Amino acid sequence: MKAVVYKEPYKVAVEDVDDVNIQDPTDVIVRITSTAICGSDLHMYEGRTDAEPGITFGHENMGIVEEIGSGVTTVSKGDRVVMPFNVACGFCDNCRAGKSAFCLTVNEPGTAGGAYGYVGMGPYPGGQAEFLRVPFADYNCVQLPKGEEHEKDFAMLADIFPTGYHATELAGVKPGETVAVYGAGPVGLMAAYSAQLKGASRVFVVDHVKNRLDIVKAMGAEPINFEDGDPAQQIHDAVQAYGVDRGIDAVGYQATESEGNEQPAVVLNQLVDTVRHTGGLGVVGLYVPSDPGAPDEHSAKGELLFRMGRFFEKGQTMGTGQADAKRYAHKLRDLIIAGRAEPGFVVSKVLPLGDAPDAYARFDKREEGYSKVLLQPAR
Amino acid sequence: MKAVVYKEPYKVAVEDVDDVNIQDPTDVIVRITSTAICGSDLHMYEGRTDAEPGITFGHENMGIVEEIGSGVTTVSKGDRVVMPFNVACGFCDNCRAGKSAFCLTVNEPGTAGGAYGYVGMGPYPGGQAEFLRVPFADYNCVQLPKGEEHEKDFAMLADIFPTGYHATELAGVKPGETVAVYGAGPVGLMAAYSAQLKGASRVFVVDHVKNRLDIVKAMGAEPINFEDGDPAQQIHDAVQAYGVDRGIDAVGYQATESEGNEQPAVVLNQLVDTVRHTGGLGVVGLYVPSDPGAPDEHSAKGELLFRMGRFFEKGQTMGTGQADAKRYAHKLRDLIIAGRAEPGFVVSKVLPLGDAPDAYARFDKREEGYSKVLLQPAR
Amino acid sequence: MKAVVYKEPYKVAVEDVDDVNIQDPTDVIVRITSTAICGSDLHMYEGRTDAEPGITFGHENMGIVEEIGSGVTTVSKGDRVVMPFNVACGFCDNCRAGKSAFCLTVNEPGTAGGAYGYVGMGPYPGGQAEFLRVPFADYNCVQLPKGEEHEKDFAMLADIFPTGYHATELAGVKPGETVAVYGAGPVGLMAAYSAQLKGASRVFVVDHVKNRLDIVKAMGAEPINFEDGDPAQQIHDAVQAYGVDRGIDAVGYQATESEGNEQPAVVLNQLVDTVRHTGGLGVVGLYVPSDPGAPDEHSAKGELLFRMGRFFEKGQTMGTGQADAKRYAHKLRDLIIAGRAEPGFVVSKVLPLGDAPDAYARFDKREEGYSKVLLQPAR
Amino acid sequence: MKAVVYKEPYKVAVEDVDDVNIQDPTDVIVRITSTAICGSDLHMYEGRTDAEPGITFGHENMGIVEEIGSGVTTVSKGDRVVMPFNVACGFCDNCRAGKSAFCLTVNEPGTAGGAYGYVGMGPYPGGQAEFLRVPFADYNCVQLPKGEEHEKDFAMLADIFPTGYHATELAGVKPGETVAVYGAGPVGLMAAYSAQLKGASRVFVVDHVKNRLDIVKAMGAEPINFEDGDPAQQIHDAVQAYGVDRGIDAVGYQATESEGNEQPAVVLNQLVDTVRHTGGLGVVGLYVPSDPGAPDEHSAKGELLFRMGRFFEKGQTMGTGQADAKRYAHKLRDLIIAGRAEPGFVVSKVLPLGDAPDAYARFDKREEGYSKVLLQPAR
């Protein structure tokens, strides 16, 4: 079958690879109809991880069930399904607590969490391919209405819509509250969108890229350009209060100052300033315990100069971590079906699988129109 | 009236000061029967704050109501009451949310929270004195059974018992869970005690002072001496699991390594290691945004090298801040009355008010027997 | 001053009554700009309660602060404020838990909760008058932006918007869930509206009055006419699932079957059928422990034939009781200010105070256009 | 293999039945070491259900894994395990929400929940036998430490310890609160025990059987004999307050008045009286939608005269339903291992499997010493 294979830094190719097949009775095989490229794929693409050549990328997958194992109960051939990016068992302590991003079964002892097509996340080939093997399929498949409706919207259920929603859960967003989101990339937009769905009264989104900020405004949220001055101060001025109730980090450790230098803790520290006393911070932007490309020796070990004193003085809380996409995907799907949510608006381009190498290269250069690419292998 | 007055670094005196009196219709005056010295009083005592000479210390106060204002409804002369250390209004946004340590009414605009006898916490003289003025008395007085029973236990309701309990709330301790507490001072012991009351299955307490660790053992908790090796590793070995469910920081920014050097983030970072993926951290040990005596320029601004990468990778949460003592004091009082809790076991000595200068000096030197002194002005 | 005074069953008059004035230092006097007539006022109007002639009606009040007591801290003359219908102290056990509808201070021992202008709810004259005395004013006044904007919307913060919202809290409505509301009167509409604000995927509203069902449709909710067949079955057919996630009773004990006979438990029992296993029921429609006008001797004592067996088998939960309007009013106000909520759409008519007798009579006859009347004494 | 087989009303026999075996790849076979007789088995035993002759009883099972299916991941031959009484899949909407007692996969469409050896709960033979087939074994087996320690305690994890704990969750018991439990049978005792583990300040248990009340007292809870007068009044007198915070029904529809007549709603209604305004009721005593043996026609349909008016007036909440034993079993197990809980104290007798017919007969007659019998097939 055809798949997007990592060759070397800055190079992927669409090649023939071995067919995937049922390995365990609880597996299914899914024919991929849509699979998105994620910002986190670029970490591997740019060679800033230990990803070995030969790995198939793709953790945002949906499609049609092609084959089922003998121990599968509720999934049938022909079902249209989307797979949350976390491979998970459904029955370990973390999965039972809804924390499927930290499954204790699917990866090496001492680690937690698995994913399709990602370095260090277990032996699961990605879905930027014609077919995908899905382990523990009764748990990992989310059923969708048959047909072709909402294809772009449903594809967002694999990762970024639940990830944005997760950010609002970590931050504790409640109806009527004010929210600040740092980062207007696809995840930041989904966080802002989720805050709106939950009934936030005002949602601010901080970035400096003009067309991103235009989308923010079009959504009915309030764009804050950090090049126009301290974003915390801009937001304080807007709310005329002690700060917003909740803050979200959708940027992560590769945050840059307005001059463009990487400053890994800048967003975290701005959030502390932006959010009121006793407010909540939700962090879904990635932070890593080891980063060889970091600007200093401490950041290289994931140790950041965090404004702990002020954070404590304000009595804030912080929730972090990869999203438990499975936990949210079902209800978010229901919002799409009911016509209340259309997360597919963030998809900037839909392409056949063969265009993946070009799409990766353009996305990596942040070319306009390539911010969220959906590959459709069946085309 | 007599009161403990701050004179200069390392010096307090018991002196005659102006009598306190009703200033607002919602005030009461309380004759103090018991008032404890707190570790946080030492920050002022040692001159490491902006506290001006002349301030009366004391935020852990209980006594008998002597006089009531015309707007007080549910407090009467003769009532025996304990006052949570946070002066609070009861009706602002934070108080209504139970976050009375961050009251928006009782201190300067832009700040949050008040306290008796503490620098920067508003114009409220402390209770290490014969009498105390209590503002918003209907809210700030917690009623106690008349008489003299449980005096030491009830005195702990002003601060350290609720503060220890708050730590378990911030960390999210639930029945059956495992908990690690860093710091076996009075607050750490109260945190461990609260975890036990809540039904924790195992409670570890980390320190290096022998008689503190003996108390830990006597409580039925498990002492961990950090001089015997990495405490996170010792605890991992004991639980034979990925880590404990919950971790508590009852140390704060003056944490030291085993060699005795101040290393402000050491406890936070050990907690990240000690707690399992998706577990919770509760931080009640003090962190400050400005510390002139800090070991380096960043710590001096409250910026600490926090292991954010690992914290995020583990998907942990962190809750912080001063305890909302009022929120917990009523139910903790009921446990004392029912004979289910006896937090007074941490009181190491009971002295008349006049002994305060000597008690401060000995406590500051960590003399045995002076870890938790209760002053009784009425003696 | 002028006030709406209850004279005898089916008769109120606008008369001169004694001016209200500051009785306690924590009181304020408010000049009423808007005060709504509530369905619950009709219970008294119709003589089905113990309300004595002479009582001033009105518990949905807003206006401008005219005078303040010496113990008031955060409310000033000239402030524009709305008063949640529950008179409450802010500091008793229930108020501190956010359950201000069950305040233990403002009414007789053994009871819980107070209200303006309502029989059995304490000695607090109502606000269908030129002026209102507000006890514990720092707690009971909710600040509004000055001016005249959103007058109708803000007036709904006194009762029905928070009451509808409370219903969704009792039922446990979460984003993406399906909700059924029984009753499309003002409170039922506000419950449906609140469910939408919280991100419900589908909201059904059950009634049989055509113009009410038209409003339901116009809101984007789904009208269910119970005269077209069993409403539970209609809803099951619509969702093609085991039932909706959450159900709300906005009808109460005066529920009628399609034939028009009172059948006090019919809505409760239909909710049990309508909601799925493990779902939640929120009951804000009134049930009373004593009802002389009941159709049978058991209902007269508030004992209803509830389908407990099926309720238990389905593992459902039920939350009940008057709304703690104060708890929700602040954040709902912020939604109005931000332009995200306009609850004033339920106001059917705005009239001067003098028209109250006529308005009561027409409302009691369910004349169209009188479903939610706002009186404006200052006109 | 040998098994306890239902023959006809009031008769079971230990007979040879077909061996159980692996039917699905996710099954395991467990050799039963301990299996308890439950009060709910008596409903079938007495012929008050549709249970057909030939059914094998037993839903409180533990033992050693003998054989595993090819799709089982984390359970191995030789593992010592206990099985929560609910057969459940782990991946349906209800299981993922922790509501495994309402699994949507393991029983007929339109119903929810399965169990071993119980009429109407799916095709799963019971474990009062030498061997048991366990479906979805990765989910349904709870791992135990190898060996023979705590056998009686661990056996209680299958049903009554989690069921008692569930009652405290439904009622919302929090540290420091007061709790009343109606019914001092095994489940009521486990509810009281769980309330104590959670840090309740006072726990009252209502019954009228002397030796049950003696156990209550020995546990450190407070016995209330309902033959000494209205239990609600007795408890009000004891707490000198508006009522207890939380109430638990561990009796169910076969409740009797002091005269011994069945009065299905008596406990529910007493709970409404016993619990304070805004308090919570947790109902784990069984209520059924159809009861041919009921004292009146309404009760026969599960319609009970519930004091809804008073319940609403007090603003109480009610949670109901079978316990999700799986949800609690792991942490309760950890409390047993840590020596903090010993639920085995309720076991009144341990017998070989062959004694089952005699044990059923004596238990059905409420003979002393037969209140909680543990059968050990391996003896």
Side-chain angles (χ1 to χ4, degrees):
Chain A
M1 67 175 194
K2 299 281 182 198
V4 176
V5 177
Y6 173 61
K7 306 304 287 183
E8 61 188 60
Y10 300 99
K11 184 167 176 196
V12 294
V14 176
E15 297 186 343
D16 281 305
V17 301
D18 288 346
D19 283 355
V20 290
N21 45 48
I22 301 287
Q23 294 180 17
D24 290 303
T26 48
D27 290 351
V28 301
I29 302 298
V30 172
R31 180 166 43 84
I32 297 300
T33 57
S34 292
T35 176
I37 302 176
C38 180
S40 61
D41 288 328
L42 293 185
H43 299 301
M44 294 188 289
Y45 180 78
E46 295 172 357
R48 284 182 74 171
T49 70
D50 295 329
E52 304 256 336
I55 182 175
T56 297
F57 286 173
H59 57 267
E60 303 193 10
N61 308 309
M62 70 178 283
I64 308 293
V65 176
E66 189 78 11
E67 192 184 348
I68 63 167
S70 61
V72 174
T73 303
T74 57
V75 181
S76 303
K77 185 161 162 28
D79 285 355
R80 188 187 187 203
V81 293
V82 60
M83 275 65 63
F85 73 94
N86 334 95
V87 178
C89 71
F91 50 75
C92 72
D93 284 353
N94 283 344
C95 282
R96 281 185 292 106
K99 306 297 294 177
S100 55
F102 300 88
C103 175
L104 300 169
T105 304
V106 296
N107 207 336
E108 299 297 310
T111 68
Y116 305 95
Y118 213 90
V119 60
M121 298 300 272
Y124 308 102
Q128 292 174 7
E130 289 180 280
F131 295 95
L132 177 73
R133 173 191 161 231
V134 180
F136 302 109
D138 281 307
Y139 186 75
N140 286 312
C141 292
V142 174
Q143 295 282 348
L144 300 172
K146 295 199 177 181
E148 303 200 349
E149 213 179 358
H150 298 305
E151 182 84 9
K152 286 197 292 184
D153 297 314
F154 289 145
M156 299 301 101
L157 292 172
D159 183 347
I160 68 167
F161 192 15
T163 293
Y165 191 88
H166 184 56
T168 67
E169 291 283 294
L170 292 174
V173 176
K174 291 190 288 294
E177 292 192 327
T178 50
V179 182
V181 179
Y182 279 73
V187 168
L189 294 176
M190 287 292 99
Y193 193 59
S194 297
Q196 290 177 323
L197 283 169
K198 284 181 159 184
S201 58
R202 297 180 71 176
V203 179
F204 301 90
V205 186
V206 180
D207 208 300
H208 70 143
V209 178
K210 187 181 174 311
N211 72 325
R212 289 177 162 195
L213 293 171
D214 289 345
I215 298 173
V216 169
K217 190 158 192 184
M219 287 171 61
E222 303 177 48
I224 300 289
N225 189 331
F226 66 75
E227 294 184 346
D228 294 345
D230 174 23
Q233 190 58 50
Q234 289 185 62
I235 293 170
H236 278 256
D237 290 347
V239 295
Q240 292 183 287
Y242 291 77
V244 289
D245 298 307
R246 309 289 157 188
I248 288 169
D249 177 350
V251 176
Y253 74 109
Q254 292 183 315
T256 54
E257 282 198 291
S258 47
E259 292 79 31
N261 302 315
E262 275 195 25
Q263 200 185 348
V266 67
V267 165
L268 289 174
N269 289 334
Q270 285 173 334
L271 276 174
V272 172
D273 282 350
T274 304
V275 173
R276 66 167 165 80
H277 291 86
T278 79
L281 277 55
V283 180
V284 293
L286 186 67
Y287 291 86
V288 292
S290 168
D291 173 24
D296 62 81
E297 62 168 322
H298 286 296
S299 317
K301 294 184 291 179
E303 297 176 358
L304 308 191
L305 276 167
F306 177 56
R307 298 186 59 190
M308 184 68 200
R310 185 72 174 137
F311 178 67
F312 178 90
E313 186 186 59
K314 293 181 96 168
Q316 296 172 337
T317 62
M318 192 195 299
T320 68
Q322 302 259 338
D324 312 298
K326 171 73 179 177
R327 180 147 51 123
Y328 311 117
H330 294 253
K331 288 297 177 199
L332 296 179
R333 171 200 64 193
D334 292 348
L335 284 166
I336 294 169
I337 294 172
R340 301 250 168 209
E342 294 188 67
F345 77 84
V346 298
V347 174
S348 57
K349 204 168 287 282
V350 180
L351 297 171
L353 190 67
D355 289 5
D358 183 58
Y360 266 91
R362 291 174 187 270
F363 179 30
D364 191 54
K365 291 174 197 144
R366 270 70 181 170
E367 274 190 31
E368 201 166 329
Y370 286 83
S371 61
K372 192 66 190 174
V373 170
L374 201 61
L375 301 171
Q376 299 199 324
R379 279 198 182 179
Chain B
M1 67 174 193
K2 298 282 183 199
V4 175
V5 177
Y6 173 61
K7 306 303 287 183
E8 61 187 58
Y10 300 99
K11 184 167 175 196
V12 295
V14 176
E15 296 185 344
D16 281 306
V17 300
D18 288 346
D19 282 357
V20 290
N21 45 49
I22 301 286
Q23 293 180 18
D24 291 303
T26 47
D27 290 351
V28 300
I29 302 298
V30 172
R31 179 166 44 83
I32 297 299
T33 57
S34 291
T35 176
I37 302 176
C38 180
S40 61
D41 288 328
L42 294 185
H43 299 300
M44 294 188 289
Y45 180 79
E46 295 173 356
R48 283 183 74 171
T49 70
D50 295 330
E52 304 257 336
I55 183 176
T56 297
F57 286 173
H59 57 267
E60 303 193 10
N61 308 307
M62 71 176 284
I64 308 294
V65 177
E66 188 79 12
E67 192 183 347
I68 64 167
S70 60
V72 173
T73 303
T74 56
V75 181
S76 303
K77 186 163 163 26
D79 285 355
R80 188 188 187 202
V81 293
V82 60
M83 276 65 63
F85 73 93
N86 333 96
V87 178
C89 71
F91 50 74
C92 71
D93 285 352
N94 283 344
C95 282
R96 281 184 292 106
K99 305 298 294 177
S100 56
F102 300 88
C103 175
L104 300 168
T105 304
V106 296
N107 207 335
E108 300 297 311
T111 68
Y116 304 96
Y118 213 91
V119 58
M121 299 299 273
Y124 308 102
Q128 292 173 7
E130 289 180 281
F131 296 95
L132 177 74
R133 173 191 161 230
V134 179
F136 302 110
D138 282 308
Y139 185 76
N140 286 312
C141 293
V142 175
Q143 296 281 348
L144 300 173
K146 295 200 178 182
E148 304 199 349
E149 212 179 2
H150 299 305
E151 182 84 10
K152 286 197 292 186
D153 297 313
F154 289 145
M156 299 301 101
L157 292 172
D159 183 347
I160 67 166
F161 192 16
T163 292
Y165 191 87
H166 183 56
T168 67
E169 291 283 294
L170 292 173
V173 176
K174 291 190 289 294
E177 291 192 327
T178 50
V179 182
V181 179
Y182 279 72
V187 168
L189 293 176
M190 287 292 99
Y193 193 59
S194 296
Q196 290 177 323
L197 282 169
K198 284 182 160 183
S201 57
R202 298 181 70 176
V203 179
F204 301 90
V205 187
V206 180
D207 208 300
H208 70 142
V209 178
K210 188 182 174 308
N211 73 324
R212 289 177 161 195
L213 293 171
D214 290 345
I215 297 173
V216 169
K217 191 160 193 183
M219 287 171 63
E222 303 176 48
I224 299 289
N225 189 332
F226 66 75
E227 294 184 346
D228 295 345
D230 174 23
Q233 190 58 50
Q234 290 186 62
I235 293 170
H236 278 255
D237 291 347
V239 294
Q240 291 183 290
Y242 291 77
V244 289
D245 298 307
R246 310 288 158 188
I248 288 168
D249 176 350
V251 175
Y253 73 109
Q254 292 183 313
T256 54
E257 281 198 291
S258 45
E259 294 78 31
N261 302 314
E262 273 195 26
Q263 199 185 349
V266 66
V267 165
L268 289 173
N269 290 333
Q270 285 173 333
L271 276 175
V272 172
D273 282 349
T274 304
V275 173
R276 65 166 165 81
H277 290 85
T278 81
L281 277 56
V283 180
V284 294
L286 186 68
Y287 290 87
V288 293
S290 168
D291 173 24
D296 61 81
E297 62 168 321
H298 286 297
S299 318
K301 293 184 291 180
E303 297 176 358
L304 308 190
L305 277 167
F306 176 56
R307 297 186 60 191
M308 185 67 200
R310 184 73 173 136
F311 178 67
F312 178 89
E313 186 187 57
K314 292 181 98 168
Q316 296 172 338
T317 62
M318 192 194 299
T320 68
Q322 302 259 338
D324 312 298
K326 172 72 180 178
R327 181 147 50 123
Y328 311 117
H330 295 254
K331 288 298 177 199
L332 296 179
R333 170 201 65 193
D334 292 347
L335 284 166
I336 294 169
I337 294 171
R340 302 250 168 208
E342 293 188 68
F345 78 84
V346 298
V347 174
S348 58
K349 205 168 286 281
V350 180
L351 297 171
L353 190 67
D355 288 5
D358 182 59
Y360 267 91
R362 292 174 187 270
F363 179 31
D364 190 54
K365 290 174 197 144
R366 269 70 182 169
E367 273 191 31
E368 202 167 328
Y370 286 82
S371 61
K372 192 67 190 173
V373 169
L374 200 61
L375 301 170
Q376 301 199 323
R379 279 200 182 179
Chain C
M1 67 174 193
K2 299 282 183 201
V4 176
V5 178
Y6 173 61
K7 305 303 287 183
E8 61 187 60
Y10 300 99
K11 184 166 175 198
V12 295
V14 176
E15 296 186 343
D16 281 305
V17 301
D18 288 346
D19 283 355
V20 290
N21 45 48
I22 301 286
Q23 293 179 18
D24 290 303
T26 48
D27 290 351
V28 301
I29 302 299
V30 172
R31 179 166 45 84
I32 298 299
T33 58
S34 292
T35 176
I37 302 177
C38 180
S40 61
D41 288 328
L42 294 185
H43 299 301
M44 294 188 289
Y45 180 78
E46 295 172 357
R48 285 182 73 172
T49 70
D50 295 330
E52 304 257 336
I55 183 176
T56 297
F57 287 173
H59 57 267
E60 303 192 10
N61 308 308
M62 70 177 284
I64 308 294
V65 177
E66 189 79 11
E67 192 183 347
I68 64 167
S70 61
V72 174
T73 304
T74 57
V75 181
S76 303
K77 185 162 161 29
D79 285 355
R80 187 187 186 201
V81 292
V82 60
M83 275 64 63
F85 74 93
N86 334 96
V87 179
C89 71
F91 51 75
C92 72
D93 285 352
N94 284 344
C95 282
R96 280 185 291 105
K99 307 297 294 177
S100 56
F102 299 88
C103 175
L104 300 169
T105 305
V106 296
N107 206 336
E108 299 297 311
T111 68
Y116 305 95
Y118 213 89
V119 59
M121 298 300 272
Y124 308 102
Q128 293 173 7
E130 290 180 281
F131 295 95
L132 176 74
R133 173 192 161 229
V134 180
F136 302 110
D138 281 308
Y139 186 76
N140 286 312
C141 293
V142 174
Q143 295 281 348
L144 300 172
K146 295 202 177 180
E148 304 199 350
E149 213 180 359
H150 298 305
E151 182 83 10
K152 288 198 292 185
D153 297 313
F154 289 145
M156 299 302 100
L157 292 173
D159 183 347
I160 67 167
F161 191 16
T163 293
Y165 191 88
H166 184 55
T168 66
E169 291 282 295
L170 292 173
V173 176
K174 291 189 288 295
E177 291 193 327
T178 51
V179 182
V181 179
Y182 279 73
V187 167
L189 294 176
M190 287 292 99
Y193 193 59
S194 297
Q196 290 178 323
L197 282 169
K198 283 181 160 184
S201 57
R202 297 181 70 176
V203 179
F204 301 90
V205 186
V206 180
D207 208 300
H208 70 143
V209 178
K210 187 182 174 309
N211 73 324
R212 289 177 163 196
L213 294 171
D214 290 345
I215 297 172
V216 168
K217 190 159 193 184
M219 286 171 63
E222 303 177 47
I224 299 290
N225 190 331
F226 66 76
E227 294 184 345
D228 295 345
D230 174 23
Q233 189 58 53
Q234 290 186 62
I235 293 169
H236 278 255
D237 291 347
V239 295
Q240 292 182 288
Y242 292 76
V244 290
D245 298 307
R246 310 288 156 188
I248 287 169
D249 177 349
V251 176
Y253 74 110
Q254 291 183 314
T256 54
E257 281 199 292
S258 46
E259 293 77 32
N261 301 314
E262 273 195 26
Q263 201 185 347
V266 66
V267 165
L268 289 174
N269 289 334
Q270 285 173 334
L271 277 175
V272 172
D273 282 350
T274 304
V275 173
R276 65 167 165 80
H277 290 85
T278 80
L281 278 55
V283 181
V284 294
L286 187 67
Y287 291 86
V288 293
S290 168
D291 172 26
D296 62 80
E297 62 168 322
H298 286 297
S299 317
K301 294 184 290 180
E303 296 176 359
L304 308 191
L305 276 168
F306 176 56
R307 299 187 59 192
M308 184 68 200
R310 184 72 174 139
F311 178 67
F312 178 89
E313 186 187 59
K314 292 180 96 168
Q316 296 172 337
T317 61
M318 193 194 299
T320 69
Q322 302 259 339
D324 312 299
K326 172 73 180 178
R327 180 147 51 123
Y328 312 117
H330 294 254
K331 288 297 178 199
L332 296 179
R333 171 200 64 192
D334 293 347
L335 284 166
I336 294 169
I337 295 172
R340 301 253 169 207
E342 292 188 67
F345 78 83
V346 299
V347 173
S348 58
K349 205 168 286 282
V350 180
L351 297 171
L353 190 67
D355 289 5
D358 182 59
Y360 267 91
R362 293 174 187 270
F363 179 30
D364 191 54
K365 292 175 196 142
R366 271 68 182 170
E367 273 191 32
E368 200 166 330
Y370 286 82
S371 62
K372 193 66 189 174
V373 169
L374 200 61
L375 301 171
Q376 300 199 324
R379 279 199 183 179
Chain D
M1 67 175 193
K2 299 282 183 199
V4 176
V5 178
Y6 174 61
K7 305 303 287 182
E8 62 186 58
Y10 300 99
K11 184 168 176 197
V12 294
V14 176
E15 297 186 342
D16 280 306
V17 301
D18 288 346
D19 283 356
V20 291
N21 45 48
I22 300 286
Q23 294 179 18
D24 290 304
T26 48
D27 291 350
V28 301
I29 302 299
V30 172
R31 180 166 44 84
I32 297 299
T33 57
S34 292
T35 176
I37 302 176
C38 180
S40 61
D41 289 328
L42 293 185
H43 299 301
M44 294 188 288
Y45 180 79
E46 294 172 357
R48 284 182 73 172
T49 71
D50 296 329
E52 305 258 336
I55 183 176
T56 297
F57 286 173
H59 57 268
E60 303 193 9
N61 308 309
M62 71 178 284
I64 307 293
V65 177
E66 189 78 12
E67 191 184 347
I68 64 168
S70 61
V72 173
T73 304
T74 56
V75 181
S76 304
K77 184 162 165 24
D79 285 356
R80 188 187 186 203
V81 293
V82 59
M83 276 63 64
F85 73 93
N86 334 97
V87 178
C89 72
F91 50 75
C92 73
D93 284 352
N94 284 343
C95 282
R96 280 185 293 107
K99 306 298 292 178
S100 56
F102 299 88
C103 176
L104 300 168
T105 304
V106 296
N107 207 335
E108 299 297 311
T111 68
Y116 305 96
Y118 213 90
V119 58
M121 298 300 273
Y124 308 101
Q128 293 174 5
E130 290 180 281
F131 295 96
L132 177 75
R133 173 191 160 231
V134 180
F136 301 110
D138 281 308
Y139 186 75
N140 286 312
C141 292
V142 175
Q143 295 281 348
L144 300 172
K146 295 201 176 180
E148 304 199 348
E149 213 179 0
H150 299 305
E151 182 84 10
K152 287 198 291 185
D153 297 314
F154 289 145
M156 299 301 100
L157 292 172
D159 184 346
I160 67 167
F161 192 15
T163 292
Y165 192 88
H166 184 56
T168 67
E169 291 283 293
L170 292 173
V173 175
K174 291 190 288 295
E177 292 192 327
T178 51
V179 182
V181 179
Y182 279 73
V187 168
L189 294 176
M190 288 292 99
Y193 193 59
S194 297
Q196 290 177 323
L197 282 169
K198 283 181 160 185
S201 58
R202 296 182 71 176
V203 180
F204 300 90
V205 187
V206 180
D207 208 301
H208 70 142
V209 179
K210 189 183 173 308
N211 74 325
R212 289 177 163 196
L213 294 171
D214 289 345
I215 297 173
V216 169
K217 190 159 192 182
M219 285 171 63
E222 303 177 48
I224 299 289
N225 189 331
F226 66 75
E227 294 184 346
D228 294 346
D230 175 23
Q233 190 58 51
Q234 289 185 63
I235 293 169
H236 278 257
D237 291 347
V239 295
Q240 292 182 288
Y242 291 75
V244 289
D245 298 307
R246 310 287 157 189
I248 287 169
D249 177 350
V251 176
Y253 73 109
Q254 291 183 314
T256 54
E257 281 198 291
S258 46
E259 293 78 32
N261 301 314
E262 274 196 25
Q263 201 185 346
V266 66
V267 165
L268 289 173
N269 289 334
Q270 285 173 333
L271 277 174
V272 172
D273 283 350
T274 304
V275 173
R276 65 166 166 81
H277 290 85
T278 79
L281 278 56
V283 180
V284 294
L286 187 68
Y287 291 86
V288 292
S290 169
D291 172 26
D296 61 80
E297 62 167 322
H298 286 296
S299 317
K301 293 184 291 180
E303 297 176 357
L304 307 191
L305 278 168
F306 176 56
R307 299 187 58 191
M308 185 68 200
R310 185 74 173 135
F311 178 67
F312 178 89
E313 187 186 58
K314 293 180 97 168
Q316 295 172 338
T317 61
M318 192 194 298
T320 68
Q322 301 259 339
D324 312 298
K326 172 72 180 179
R327 182 147 51 124
Y328 311 117
H330 294 254
K331 288 297 178 199
L332 296 179
R333 171 201 64 192
D334 293 347
L335 284 165
I336 294 169
I337 294 172
R340 301 252 168 208
E342 293 188 67
F345 77 85
V346 298
V347 174
S348 58
K349 205 168 288 281
V350 180
L351 297 170
L353 190 67
D355 288 5
D358 182 58
Y360 266 91
R362 292 174 186 270
F363 179 31
D364 190 55
K365 291 175 196 142
R366 270 70 182 168
E367 272 191 33
E368 201 166 330
Y370 286 83
S371 61
K372 192 66 189 173
V373 169
L374 201 60
L375 301 171
Q376 300 199 325
R379 279 199 183 180

